[in-house]
Amino acid sequence: MSSLGRVISHYRLLEKLGGGGMGVVYRAEDTRLGRHVALKFLSPEWAGDRQAAERFQREARAASALNHPNICTIYDIGEFEDESFLVMELLQGSTLKHRIEGKPFRLDQIVRVGIQIADALDSAHGHGILHRDIKPANIFLTAGTQAKLLDFGLAKLLRRHDPAVHSADSATASYGKHATDPGVAIGTIAYMSPEQATGQELDGRTDLFSFGVVMYEMATGVQPFKGGTSAVIFDAILNKAPISPIRLNPQLPQRLEDVINKALEKDPDLRCQSASELRSDLKRLERDSKQFSASSAMDPESPTTFREDTIEPDALITNRRWRVNTQHWWGLAAISVVCLAVAAGVFAGTRLAVKPFPTFQRLTFARGELGDARFAPDGQSIFYGAAWEGKAFEIFSARPDSSESRPLGLDSTDVLSISSNGQMAVSIGRHLLKGFQRTGTLAQVPVAGGTPREILDGVESADWSRDGSALAIVRYVNGRDRLEFPMGNVLYESAGWIGGPRFSPDGKLIAIIDHPLSNDDGGSIIIVDLRGQKKISSSGWITVRGVAWNPANNEVWFSGNKDGLSGEIHALSLSGSERLLLRVPIDVQLSDISGDRRALLIEQHERAGILGRGPTDNAERELGWHDWSVMRDISTDGKLILFIEAGNAGGANYGSYVRGIDGSPAIQLSSGTSSAISPDKKWASAVIPTAPSAITFVPIGPGQSHALELKGLSPQYSCWFPDAKRILIEASERGHGFRMYVVDLPDGRPRAITPEGAVTQFNSISPDGRFIAVTEPDQRLKIYPVDKGETRVIANVTPGEVPIRWSNQPEWLFVANPTQIPTKVYRLNIATGQKEQWLSLSPQDRTGLDSTSSLQMTPDGKSYAYSYERFLSDLYLANHLD
């Protein structure tokens, strides 16, 4: 990164002003023109990112197409010694965000800023550019009286008629077809318009609503739409009128409140129709108000330039959302004739009916994890399972007309399904089986209360038939997940795991989700009849969880997406057509749909971190990197960990990383899911999306990746033998379950050494490389020979315990049950069954903890690292999704 005094092109760097998100900003001297400017560079972590550099240039072109005194001027864009930079107007003052600070502005200040920003928006809209991110952080107030609109990073082109704007549009046209698709919510949540929040097509009126929010905040010192979660804010924007500004600030004239309320109309047809109209309203108020004096002006603050301690990164022609989501949000596209007709409210001379906006009512208010939720037959009572405040799961009842939930007294229980005659299918002792699979004892209890009657162990999910006489179930048998109806009659099987099932309204079809990998939530929606014949499917979903039938039209609704970034609800018809119902920038999961088409949605706040301890550490340290860090391996010396990022930051194809256990910065190796570190720490094995039928060896240091082709196999785990001459692979053949294979390096053929279902995703190879320890489908722990020898059952193993690592003392094996918190790790003598506790692992805050998973240990047992997964959930009742 650049240093002070350095000359970049003809700009001399004088002072670092601040930075954040994607850029770092300096005050610099233009040596040619003898003036001071602001110079922004890509942050070091983005310097080699081609897409970041392209976005950098696109942003400059879009903003430079607008020449207006109330829009920050872009002077130049360039590249010097592989560093991209922007040259822009150097402003003295501060952002509106820092000027408000909870205090209302004077009337003359509000009107003055309002007129100037309305004029800037009028110019932008006149050039066919929507800003789409109007907020106080993107409005700068100079030390004098001028307001400047900043950050066109989320701008969108409405029409192509201005040559300067057209060039910016051309640069963005290839950035991705999802960037301006209907259904995408773009912007900062608290300042979104209703049509923006619901992902509708936008016109200039969306910016006017957002600026109405800003004027409200200037007038009162508070935001009009607030809430503890994104969904609460969305509900306020879509359905609730804000508190009257005059109630919060009695000094305001009614005329100003009228202007603000007009800008905040939820129906775009009732809102200000143009920025020029808003500007005229404010100018009339300025002219007529008796509160203005001849010398009215904003009190100038003592001149300051951007400082690192006061800079708002969003105000520096950049946006921190770029780091996560903008590759699927960017792009400029013209509005179609039909959408223009909708905006005008007229098509072929007829006013179009306005589709009601979705509404969301929060039903739960405690902190913790939700399991599932179902409507009772009356459509009003709601039953859900939850683990609040670190306690065990239990079932609660709730109603939309009350904020209180009532426990049913069913401890360690989650709800699965409710029949038409009021019987509830529940899971007792539901716990993690592996990956995303949860299992427990299926039981039946009336919704009116009583003692559950146990039916069957090892059931993952269930749904009542339409008449309430029988249950369809999903359970794990002999290494495969299978759908049964009636119980014992197999309709469908998967090598991965099955979500659902849900009966159709007529009871003739069953909808499920087939996830091909046990440790992944991607998959396909499958609809089968009662003979197990597949009727329709929808595939390619990066994440898909939660399925239910709309009783009105026999559509299957489900929550899932294909970009791995947004929360979406989709509908699938029996003809195979799909439609998007909702897209929001939060994680939502569909639970149930009532007879009147209201839906139960769970807003998920999910995060996975890593805790670890090195060979010289006295305590654990946090080693997680982004939002969903999953441990995969630890080097034999305990100094290096391998993990994947499987959340939003990892993207649709995940990312593989290594990091020193001392907390040094992580280094990304590749996309895909990594598995293990080679004994010499030079390689990591991984499954890469571009080569799904191969194990790819990725260099940890210098070197070139190379692949081991596994034709006919779908691998999901691998690790090296101690001599590094062979690898152990967990994989499946088409139509078969997962099992363990051995492959001689460099290019041997896979050889199966366990039956289907006998698997492990831990390096449980004996020190001499002759045996592996795996878990059988019946939860027994066995030792299998790699070449010749007898299979042995290991004694004194509790169900649920799995082999973690073979000790460097050949007679000892580390075992643990990672579904239990705290996770107790034992050292087990495989010959005698002697068992002694070695470790007890648990994060301090246990609220919402689902499990400690992916525990990896060194053979000496002195170093380890493990993932912990935290799920915090809220239940919402949604209307008008269809």
Side-chain angles (χ1 to χ4, degrees):
M1 179 49 63
S2 304
S3 56
L4 299 185
R6 185 183 175 192
V7 176
I8 306 295
S9 182
H10 55 280
Y11 303 101
R12 178 179 290 108
L13 304 185
L14 301 177
E15 178 185 10
K16 184 178 179 182
L17 301 178
M22 199 181 69
V24 179
V25 179
Y26 292 83
R27 181 158 60 94
E29 178 187 2
D30 184 339
T31 58
R32 290 181 181 174
L33 299 178
R35 62 179 177 180
H36 284 189
V37 295
L39 220 64
K40 189 178 84 170
F41 297 86
L42 280 174
S43 296
E45 61 268 28
W46 294 98
D49 191 303
R50 180 180 58 82
Q51 287 188 330
E54 290 175 357
R55 190 263 189 185
F56 209 59
Q57 296 179 6
R58 279 192 299 272
E59 186 176 23
R61 293 190 182 109
S64 63
L66 301 171
N67 183 15
H68 191 277
N70 297 113
I71 296 176
C72 182
T73 302
I74 302 293
Y75 295 140
D76 193 9
I77 182 171
E79 185 173 310
F80 186 78
E81 295 182 357
D82 296 326
E83 289 186 278
S84 296
F85 63 90
L86 293 179
V87 184
M88 57 189 182
E89 182 181 4
L90 182 65
L91 302 175
Q92 293 184 328
S94 59
T95 65
L96 184 58
K97 175 181 178 179
H98 289 99
R99 292 286 286 274
I100 294 176
E101 293 185 342
K103 299 177 182 178
F105 274 42
R106 291 200 322 262
L107 174 61
D108 59 327
Q109 296 173 327
I110 299 168
V111 174
R112 183 70 61 90
V113 171
I115 290 172
Q116 293 181 6
I117 296 302
D119 199 50
L121 289 175
D122 187 38
S123 175
H125 295 169
H127 283 77
I129 295 177
L130 296 186
H131 189 283
R132 298 200 296 179
D133 198 20
I134 301 295
K135 59 184 178 181
N138 285 340
I139 296 174
F140 194 89
L141 302 183
T142 67
T145 61
Q146 196 171 25
K148 293 272 190 177
L149 184 58
L150 310 174
D151 195 350
F152 281 76
L154 295 181
K156 175 182 177 180
L157 188 67
L158 287 177
R159 57 185 181 274
R160 304 178 182 180
H161 68 274
D162 184 279
V165 179
H166 181 76
S167 66
D169 175 57
S170 299
T172 33
S174 63
Y175 198 63
K177 67 181 182 70
H178 301 294
T180 53
D181 281 353
V184 183
I186 302 292
T188 304
I189 292 174
Y191 299 91
M192 284 183 178
S193 66
E195 59 270 28
Q196 199 173 4
T198 53
Q200 305 300 312
E201 281 283 2
L202 305 179
D203 57 30
R205 294 173 293 181
T206 187
D207 285 343
L208 303 185
F209 184 95
S210 298
F211 188 52
V213 178
V214 173
M215 287 195 295
Y216 184 103
E217 193 171 349
M218 292 175 66
T220 64
V222 299
Q223 294 177 347
F225 308 112
K226 298 183 293 184
T229 67
S230 302
V232 173
I233 298 174
F234 278 134
D235 182 51
I237 291 172
L238 297 175
N239 305 299
K240 296 179 181 178
I243 299 172
S244 164
I246 292 179
R247 285 183 56 190
L248 298 175
N249 183 4
Q251 304 291 329
L252 298 175
Q254 183 63 48
R255 290 271 305 273
L256 179 59
E257 180 170 298
D258 292 343
V259 171
I260 293 173
N261 287 342
K262 184 179 178 183
L264 292 178
E265 283 282 358
K266 299 186 187 299
D267 185 344
D269 287 340
L270 302 178
R271 199 179 301 156
C272 289
Q273 296 300 292
S274 67
S276 61
E277 180 183 337
L278 176 59
R279 179 183 58 204
S280 297
D281 289 344
L282 291 168
K283 282 192 170 183
R284 278 191 291 271
L285 176 59
E286 182 182 39
R287 180 195 63 191
D288 298 340
S289 176
K290 296 180 180 179
Q291 298 185 33
F292 278 96
S293 67
S295 59
S296 64
M298 287 182 286
D299 291 334
E301 295 180 349
S302 50
T304 57
T305 54
F306 288 124
R307 301 300 306 183
E308 190 166 7
D309 57 347
T310 63
I311 193 168
E312 172 58 34
D314 284 4
L316 293 178
I317 318 302
T318 187
N319 192 301
R320 61 171 58 95
R321 278 181 308 283
W322 161 254
R323 302 190 64 177
V324 182
N325 290 347
T326 51
Q327 65 266 39
H328 294 276
W329 287 359
W330 255 86
L332 306 175
I335 290 183
S336 69
V337 173
V338 174
C339 293
L340 287 172
V342 172
V346 176
F347 183 76
T350 303
R351 185 171 183 82
L352 293 176
V354 178
K355 178 185 174 182
F357 285 119
T359 63
F360 305 90
Q361 178 185 352
R362 186 174 175 181
L363 300 176
T364 59
F365 301 90
R367 182 172 181 263
E369 179 187 3
L370 281 157
D372 220 331
R374 294 289 185 269
F375 285 104
D378 64 7
Q380 294 301 312
S381 298
I382 297 162
F383 293 85
Y384 67 87
W388 296 134
E389 309 299 340
K391 299 177 182 178
F393 262 87
E394 59 179 316
I395 296 178
F396 298 81
S397 66
R399 291 181 64 88
D401 55 5
S402 173
S403 60
E404 300 299 326
S405 293
R406 178 175 63 87
L408 300 190
L410 300 174
D411 295 336
S412 299
T413 305
D414 193 9
V415 64
L416 296 179
S417 178
I418 299 179
S419 71
S420 57
N421 54 15
Q423 290 294 314
M424 183 159 49
V426 300
S427 178
I428 300 175
R430 199 176 193 189
H431 60 277
L432 180 68
L433 175 63
K434 63 174 183 172
F436 287 86
Q437 294 167 263
R438 307 292 186 271
T439 188
T441 299
L442 175 66
Q444 176 180 340
V445 62
V447 294
T451 301
R453 178 175 66 85
E454 296 185 0
I455 300 173
L456 183 66
D457 288 332
V459 174
E460 297 174 41
S461 54
D463 193 40
W464 287 103
S465 60
R466 291 299 97 181
D467 61 3
S469 63
L471 285 160
I473 66 169
V474 172
R475 58 175 174 158
Y476 186 69
V477 179
N478 295 326
R480 294 174 65 80
D481 241 18
R482 65 190 201 184
L483 168 67
E484 300 177 8
F485 181 76
M487 286 187 286
N489 179 48
V490 179
L491 298 182
Y492 188 91
E493 285 189 300
S494 172
W497 62 287
I498 295 174
R502 300 302 295 271
F503 274 97
S504 63
D506 61 8
K508 297 179 179 180
L509 301 171
I510 301 175
I512 60 172
I513 307 174
D514 184 356
H515 305 269
L517 299 178
S518 62
N519 57 358
D520 191 273
D521 63 351
S524 303
I525 301 295
I526 305 292
I527 300 175
V528 300
D529 63 18
L530 301 189
R531 295 176 300 170
Q533 298 296 312
K534 186 187 297 185
K535 295 299 183 181
I536 194 70
S537 65
S538 174
S539 60
W541 299 95
I542 295 298
T543 179
V544 55
R545 282 185 279 170
V547 61
W549 290 82
N550 182 351
N553 58 11
N554 260 356
E555 281 184 325
V556 173
W557 288 13
F558 58 95
S559 41
N561 62 67
K562 293 185 177 181
D563 59 14
L565 301 172
S566 53
E568 301 173 3
I569 307 295
H570 294 262
L572 173 67
S573 73
L574 294 181
S575 65
S577 62
E578 298 172 6
R579 61 191 182 100
L580 175 68
L581 301 176
L582 179 71
R583 181 181 290 162
V584 290
I586 55 177
D587 187 4
V588 292
Q589 181 175 322
L590 176 68
S591 284
D592 202 11
I593 306 173
S594 68
D596 56 0
R597 302 191 305 280
R598 293 171 300 142
L600 293 176
L601 302 180
I602 296 176
E603 180 190 8
Q604 300 279 20
H605 306 273
E606 303 179 353
R607 188 172 187 87
I610 296 174
L611 291 172
R613 191 174 73 182
T616 60
D617 295 333
N618 296 321
E620 294 177 347
R621 64 164 50 89
E622 175 61 51
L623 295 168
W625 191 241
H626 291 309
D627 57 332
W628 198 262
S629 304
V630 180
M631 265 297 297
R632 300 298 284 167
D633 198 13
I634 185 171
S635 61
T636 304
D637 61 7
K639 295 181 179 180
L640 188 70
I641 65 170
L642 177 72
F643 65 96
I644 64 173
E645 281 297 333
N648 282 358
N653 293 322
Y654 302 164
S656 297
Y657 293 77
V658 290
R659 187 178 192 183
I661 206 165
D662 59 0
S664 54
I667 299 172
Q668 184 170 1
L669 301 179
S670 67
S671 62
T673 55
S674 53
S675 295
I677 301 171
S678 64
D680 60 6
K681 295 198 298 184
K682 292 182 178 180
W683 301 93
S685 61
V687 177
I688 306 296
T690 54
S693 298
I695 296 296
T696 299
F697 301 108
V698 182
I700 294 177
Q704 295 292 324
S705 298
H706 59 279
L708 174 64
E709 295 292 337
L710 301 171
K711 294 181 179 180
L713 290 182
S714 297
Q716 69 173 7
Y717 174 76
S718 63
C719 65
W720 274 270
F721 278 76
D723 61 5
K725 295 180 179 180
R726 293 180 290 180
I727 59 171
L728 180 69
I729 297 174
E730 181 191 8
S732 68
E733 299 176 69
R734 181 181 293 274
H736 295 272
F738 282 91
R739 56 166 60 177
M740 305 307 298
Y741 296 80
V742 172
V743 183
D744 293 324
L745 298 178
D747 53 7
R749 297 188 58 169
R751 176 171 55 88
I753 60 172
T754 69
E756 292 181 28
V759 295
T760 183
Q761 288 202 2
F762 298 89
N763 187 341
S764 56
I765 304 173
S766 63
D768 59 10
R770 297 173 56 200
F771 303 96
I772 63 170
V774 300
T775 305
E776 293 270 272
D778 60 6
Q779 299 299 296
R780 290 187 301 172
L781 204 160
K782 284 188 177 181
I783 293 178
Y784 279 86
V786 174
D787 294 310
K788 296 180 180 180
E790 295 183 356
T791 301
R792 290 182 290 165
V793 177
I794 301 179
N796 199 19
V797 176
T798 304
E801 289 181 336
V802 298
I804 301 298
R805 188 101 186 214
W806 214 298
S807 170
N808 52 11
Q809 300 177 26
E811 67 273 20
W812 294 93
L813 184 71
F814 292 110
V815 300
N817 184 343
T819 67
Q820 296 179 344
I821 300 177
T823 300
K824 295 181 179 179
V825 181
Y826 296 92
R827 197 172 70 142
L828 175 66
N829 191 297
I830 60 177
T832 66
Q834 179 185 346
K835 196 174 185 181
E836 56 189 42
Q837 183 171 324
W838 190 265
L839 294 170
S840 181
L841 308 174
S842 175
Q844 292 184 350
D845 182 5
R846 293 174 58 175
T847 302
L849 280 189
D850 184 68
S851 64
T852 59
S853 61
S854 304
L855 169 64
Q856 302 293 335
M857 298 179 61
T858 55
D860 62 10
K862 295 180 180 179
S863 302
Y864 62 84
Y866 62 94
S867 296
Y868 62 92
E869 302 166 0
R870 194 181 307 279
F871 297 84
L872 301 178
S873 317
D874 295 304
L875 180 63
Y876 285 84
L877 180 65
N879 287 283
H880 310 306
L881 289 186
D882 57 348

